[in-house]
Amino acid sequence: MLRPELSASYQELSEDVERASENPTDEREGEMEVHEDASSVILPDSELGTTAPSLRFSKTCLKNVFSVILLFIYLLLMAVAVFLVYQTISDFREKLKHPVMSVSYKEVSLYDAPGIAFYPGKARLLSCKHHYYDHIPPLINPGQPGDIDCTTQRINYTDPFTNQSMKYALVVQGPRDVKKKELVFLQFHLNGTDQDFSAIDYLLFSSFQEFINSPERAEFMKDCESSYSSWKFSGGFRTWVKMSLVKTKEEDGSETVEFKQETSVVNYIDQRTKPRSDQLFFVVFEWKDPFIQTVQDIVTANPWNMIALLCGIFLALFKAADFAKLSVKWMIKIRKRHLKRSHQVRNHIN
């Protein structure tokens, strides 16, 4: 009797397996229905955990506030960077318009002998000598012709300002050796004058050798008188002139030469018996120091520094803009996620 029962049970089991293999979707649908039924069950507040959504909401709120603060900070940094760009460009343009004067000094032992052009008028050159180490020997027979140990040239040329009257100039070679304190001492004599004040004009130019080598010396002197200033020294005094040379470089690359002078005047005690109109003039020329001063305008604005600064500022701007864009996207994403979760909670409650 057991055998028929076992065979019957085996037959029923095989039929169940065949039925399950033929309808697999029915079982899955049943499982899904079970899950839906389980999820649709309303749980009490203790099981849902009311504290979890509030914690998530507070964290999300803090993140949003922090993102807004960061966004404002980076916007402020961007505004500062824009201001720095504007200020850098403005400073660069201002420096281009107003270059800075640069002064440099070059030490020399020998100067190029300058030319000293005298306009004596009725006065006559009595003596001219080179001395060294600031020593001038006592005068012998003042007012009488003496030795002329200087290189001199006499020249007549037309006045460059009037182009009518003729001018007479006595050009003397100046001192060269600044280390030995070389000086040139000259004595002039004026026998008589109808003027109230007696003085002799003189003019300094940069190179006596250029004057000698010039084929047109008259034109050379006209150019010098147009370019350089003239000075005076009075009769009855010994005028000591200490010269310094200043070279100025122009923007076009040309170079101009200018003389600066320091003058000291000492009264000459004349012990001769002479008429009142008789005047003696004494003048000394010497280099002040062995330094040639060079003046030039320098533009302190460096374009490479400005380019590097602008690149750094623009890089900071792009980084700040990129961060601000990512922050906004992140805030929008967090907001959408929060709304989605709130919607899901409401659906569960419903």
Side-chain angles (χ1 to χ4, degrees):
M1 292 185 66
L2 292 173
R3 289 179 180 175
E5 292 178 356
L6 289 173
S7 62
S9 61
Y10 284 131
Q11 187 176 0
E12 292 176 357
L13 180 62
S14 61
E15 290 176 358
D16 293 337
V17 170
E18 290 177 357
R19 192 180 301 110
S21 60
E22 290 176 357
N23 300 318
T25 56
D26 296 338
E27 294 181 356
R28 292 178 184 175
E29 291 177 356
E31 292 177 356
M32 292 177 65
E33 291 177 357
V34 171
H35 285 295
E36 289 179 356
D37 294 339
S39 61
S40 62
V41 175
I42 299 175
L43 297 177
D45 295 338
S46 60
E47 295 180 2
L48 284 174
T50 56
T51 57
S54 62
L55 288 175
R56 284 198 299 270
F57 178 76
S58 62
K59 289 181 181 180
T60 304
C61 182
L62 287 176
K63 289 181 180 179
N64 290 335
V65 171
F66 184 69
S67 300
V68 171
I69 293 174
L70 281 180
L71 182 61
F72 277 108
I73 290 174
Y74 275 91
L75 289 176
L76 179 62
L77 292 177
M78 289 175 65
V80 172
V82 171
F83 174 75
L84 287 177
V85 170
Y86 171 77
Q87 193 66 29
T88 301
I89 296 175
S90 299
D91 292 343
F92 182 77
R93 294 179 60 186
E94 191 69 20
K95 289 179 180 179
L96 286 178
K97 293 179 181 178
H98 301 90
V100 178
M101 181 180 293
S102 172
V103 180
S104 60
Y105 294 89
K106 179 183 178 182
E107 185 176 3
V108 295
S109 57
L110 290 174
Y111 279 94
D112 189 8
I116 309 171
F118 295 96
Y119 301 94
K122 296 180 179 179
R124 182 165 59 98
L125 178 64
L126 295 181
S127 63
C128 178
K129 290 185 178 181
H130 289 259
H131 300 286
Y132 297 90
Y133 300 107
D134 292 340
H135 175 69
I136 299 176
L139 295 175
I140 300 175
N141 297 324
Q144 300 296 323
D147 296 332
I148 299 178
D149 297 334
C150 304
T151 305
T152 61
Q153 289 288 329
R154 301 176 187 271
I155 186 170
N156 295 315
Y157 63 92
T158 307
D159 191 333
F161 300 105
T162 62
N163 290 326
Q164 294 178 357
S165 60
M166 295 295 294
K167 300 191 72 172
Y168 160 69
L170 174 65
V171 183
V172 180
Q173 183 178 1
R176 297 185 66 243
D177 198 340
V178 65
K179 294 294 185 181
K180 294 182 179 180
K181 295 184 178 181
E182 180 185 359
L183 57 88
V184 178
F185 177 61
L186 300 99
Q187 179 184 177
F188 290 87
H189 173 257
L190 180 61
N191 192 17
T193 180
D194 55 355
Q195 298 179 356
D196 297 331
F197 301 95
S198 58
I200 295 177
D201 296 337
Y202 69 92
L203 174 72
L204 295 173
F205 56 91
S206 58
S207 176
F208 180 80
Q209 193 63 37
E210 288 184 7
F211 168 73
I212 295 297
N213 297 334
S214 176
E216 297 290 338
R217 296 181 182 178
E219 293 296 327
F220 183 89
M221 287 305 303
K222 289 174 67 175
D223 293 339
C224 288
E225 189 172 355
S226 301
S227 303
Y228 298 102
S229 301
S230 60
W231 292 271
K232 297 177 182 290
F233 60 95
S234 301
F237 298 93
R238 187 193 68 183
T239 304
W240 199 302
V241 180
K242 290 191 175 182
M243 306 174 293
S244 59
L245 193 63
V246 180
K247 294 183 178 180
T248 304
K249 293 184 178 180
E250 305 295 338
E251 294 182 358
D252 57 356
S254 60
E255 188 177 79
T256 59
V257 179
E258 179 185 0
F259 282 90
K260 290 186 177 180
Q261 302 182 41
E262 292 183 4
T263 305
S264 60
V265 179
V266 178
N267 186 30
Y268 170 65
I269 302 175
D270 195 352
Q271 298 178 355
R272 301 174 300 125
T273 58
K274 58 181 180 58
R276 292 183 179 180
S277 60
D278 189 57
Q279 289 285 335
L280 292 178
F281 300 81
F282 303 95
V283 64
V284 181
F285 290 92
E286 180 188 12
W287 288 108
K288 177 185 176 182
D289 50 46
F291 299 101
I292 298 177
Q293 180 178 344
T294 303
V295 180
Q296 60 180 347
D297 292 334
I298 295 178
V299 178
T300 57
N302 191 342
W304 296 110
N305 290 341
M306 190 195 71
I307 292 172
L309 181 60
L310 290 178
C311 288
I313 292 174
F314 282 122
L315 181 62
L317 282 175
F318 287 131
K319 288 292 184 182
D322 188 35
F323 181 83
K325 182 175 68 175
L326 292 177
S327 299
V328 171
K329 287 183 177 180
W330 184 68
M331 290 172 61
I332 294 174
K333 184 178 180 181
I334 292 296
R335 179 64 179 169
K336 288 182 178 179
R337 186 179 298 174
H338 175 67
L339 293 175
K340 184 177 180 181
R341 287 179 179 176
S342 300
H343 183 66
Q344 289 178 354
V345 170
R346 284 196 301 269
N347 288 337
H348 282 301
I349 294 173
N350 294 330

